[in-house]
Amino acid sequence: MALNWPSLTLSDEYAIRSQRDLTLNVSIDQLVNLAINLNSVLLEPLNYTSDTLSNFATIVRRGATRVFLDIYWNSRTRIWQLCPFIPDNSSSGFNVTASDSNDNAIFVYDGKAYTCDTTITFSKFLSDVLRNQWIDSTDDNLNAQTIVLTMNLRSAKAAAILGIGHEGSDASKVNQATTSIPNLQSGSATSTAASAVNTDIITEDDFDNLAVQIDNALRKYVYTPVMLNLDRSKALTWNDTGASSQGWPLLENVLLKDFYRVLFSFGDIEVPRSEYDTNLDADYIFSNDDIPYSGTGVISYTSKFSSSELNAITSPVCTISNGNDISITSTGAALKPSWLIASDTSANPFSAAAMLQYMKCGFSPVLNATLGSSSDILQYVITALESSRWSWMAGQPTEQPDSTPTNGATPITGGSGDVQRCAALTESGWAVENCYSKYKVACRVAKSPYNWTLSQKKVSYYDAIDACTGDTVLSLPRTALQNTMLQILRQSDVGSDPVWIDMNSIERANCWVSGGPGATCIYNSAHRESIAVVVPTIAAVVVAVLLALTLCSKLLGWKQVKARRKRRRIVKKFGEMEYDGVPS
């Protein structure tokens, strides 16, 4: 079912957009945002239907940038599907044709009923949900984001068909009925399918490998292992200490220069290689070695932090050690700030405070709990999305009318007035302050992402650049972990006072940018409602020839090989943004 999402306030929209913008100079493996397991949180409790999947676009628009999804191998049709079930022998009279796209089957498995749209193949999910509902509706530089989609490969289970109905059929009503549900495990389940239909419904594309299906649906929007290797060979990748041949590209390069929207990776692989060989997808889909879903740096809720530490929201529980490693206070564990995730459970869902603590230490929290009611699920996800905005405090940045007086983008000294267009780090997060107020300034030591100092004097924001001396520069935290390190310094130096950070909307109301008082809005219109620049539909894939040759050598069943070898992608770049020159 589709959840009843509340509308975002303008402050919410500005916070989501500006937090994305400030991370553009961060390598994509160090980004810290909310992650969600679609199966645990949505599909399992709300039904495996198109209605439920319609929540996906809303969730990623509001800030979730990593998604976990179970896809199921139907050994009979050799199709990847989102429904966990196939009809058992007692349901042999039931099949679904392409014309039944609005029909849902109610399966019974292990004594529980599930509503399932058996026509939702992985290929259909890619085209209808990922492409049509999300990418096409956000393909502009105001709203675009890059996500990681981690796929768990599982085998569909044989289950009895209890009934078939149209869109909106609800297995929960069956589960609540007074009559007992047949238990498949006891062999007592029977089929009540209305009629038998033709089983020969496999389309040409359904025979293709996962990489082929992804390419057919999303082609120019996918960042692949082949592209990563090329970026590394061209010195376009970074880690926590700087340029690295083993690092990852900056978000700006992936999203706003090459327009890639999705990275695909493998999670659990339970399907036997004799049934499906994932080696065929190695040039298109990242492995667990590349983008971890388990192992070092992937933890369960409370396994690294003590309960008292998680509840102590004002006391960070991690420090930087051994260069740029994250040292966990309670355990002494030292981790590199790359693809770190922490997952909760149904028995122990994240609290907002615990979520924020994980983010403050460089972990992306993964929502993994299955809750009972739609209202509980909605509140769980909304709270998590709001808590994942590690930068701005709740209700910030406040909306500024276009008529708010400013002194222009030219730095002014010795002035006075009330210009509510500059951001400061406070005890509770970032907040809009009067640019003429005098605070100390956050100065980052050059080429050291976690080493901060504060200016000796308190100055207005207009004088902030000159307040940073020596090898330090006016800057702002670009990751939650950088924010934590600056917050520790702020508390020890000025107590409850705010400190200026390099974020303002002086030139244009509600357009939050870095670069000091003279920074200009990166969007290309005088009015905030019309500043989107649509990403070209012929966006860039620089390595088209290399990718085509490599994939075609491994995937002999690909269509239109000759055409793909000839295809060249057009690189069309947006203007460069101004940064402090220290990718994090």
Side-chain angles (χ1 to χ4, degrees), residues 407-417 435-438 459-467 506 517:
N407 290 300
T410 303
I412 296 174
T413 58
S416 62
C435 301
Y436 283 107
S437 296
K438 293 188 176 182
V459 298
S460 75
Y461 185 84
Y462 294 108
D463 296 321
I465 289 180
D466 293 334
I506 293 174

Side-chain angles (χ1 to χ4, degrees), residues 301 305-315 317 351-354 357:
Y301 182 22
F305 302 112
S306 68
S307 297
S308 60
E309 285 177 325
L310 287 169
N311 291 329
I313 195 67
T314 59
S315 302
V317 294
S351 66
Q357 281 293 54

Side-chain angles (χ1 to χ4, degrees), residues 184-221:
L184 179 65
Q185 304 305 307
S186 66
S188 60
T190 59
S191 170
T192 58
S195 60
V197 293
N198 180 24
T199 62
D200 298 328
I201 60 165
I202 304 175
T203 67
E204 183 176 77
D205 285 339
D206 285 326
F207 280 108
D208 288 337
N209 295 293
L210 288 170
V212 177
Q213 295 182 45
I214 292 169
D215 185 75
N216 286 342
L218 302 175
R219 193 160 298 165
K220 62 182 176 288
Y221 295 108

Side-chain angles (χ1 to χ4, degrees), residues 96-293:
V96 178
T97 67
S99 62
D100 293 324
S101 58
N102 290 324
D103 288 341
N104 297 320
I106 298 178
F107 286 90
V108 177
Y109 184 79
D110 200 19
K112 183 179 178 181
Y114 298 85
T115 299
C116 225
D117 184 343
T118 57
T119 68
I120 304 178
T121 63
F122 180 64
S123 178
K124 185 176 181 180
F125 167 79
L126 293 173
S127 59
D128 291 3
V129 179
L130 218 61
R131 177 67 184 266
N132 295 342
Q133 295 182 26
W134 174 55
I135 291 179
D136 286 351
S137 64
T138 59
D139 216 13
D140 57 70
N141 67 353
L142 274 180
N143 302 296
Q145 183 56 281
T146 296
I147 68 168
V148 175
L149 179 62
T150 298
M151 302 170 293
N152 298 313
L153 308 188
R154 310 195 191 281
S155 296
K157 305 174 182 70
I161 296 291
L162 188 64
I164 182 170
H166 292 286
E167 184 75 20
S169 296
D170 191 355
S172 64
K173 295 178 181 178
V174 180
N175 286 324
Q176 295 168 4
T178 55
T179 57
S180 62
I181 298 173
N183 190 325
L184 179 65
Q185 304 305 307
S186 66
S188 60
T190 59
S191 170
T192 58
S195 60
V197 293
N198 180 24
T199 62
D200 298 328
I201 60 165
I202 304 175
T203 67
E204 183 176 77
D205 285 339
D206 285 326
F207 280 108
D208 288 337
N209 295 293
L210 288 170
V212 177
Q213 295 182 45
I214 292 169
D215 185 75
N216 286 342
L218 302 175
R219 193 160 298 165
K220 62 182 176 288
Y221 295 108
V222 183
Y223 187 79
T224 70
V226 170
M227 296 168 186
L228 174 62
N229 290 335
L230 185 65
D231 281 344
R232 286 173 171 174
S233 71
K234 296 169 65 177
L236 294 175
T237 54
W238 307 77
N239 63 14
D240 55 306
T241 60
S244 169
S245 61
Q246 297 301 309
W248 290 81
L250 306 181
L251 177 60
E252 182 192 19
N253 294 340
V254 172
L255 179 63
L256 293 187
K257 290 186 177 179
D258 293 331
F259 314 124
Y260 299 127
R261 303 294 302 278
V262 191
L263 288 73
F264 288 89
S265 69
F266 283 127
D268 292 332
I269 301 177
E270 298 175 354
V271 179
R273 181 162 293 178
S274 59
E275 286 286 321
Y276 184 83
D277 187 1
T278 56
N279 286 331
L280 295 174
D281 303 313
D283 292 314
Y284 222 88
I285 301 174
F286 290 97
S287 69
N288 182 54
D289 292 334
D290 298 318
I291 302 179
Y293 73 96

Side-chain angles (χ1 to χ4, degrees), residues 69-90:
L69 177 68
D70 294 349
I71 60 175
Y72 295 87
W73 178 248
N74 186 326
S75 58
R76 298 174 187 172
T77 61
R78 302 189 65 79
I79 295 175
W80 288 103
Q81 62 187 43
L82 266 63
C83 178
F85 309 110
I86 54 177
D88 71 351
N89 292 334
S90 67

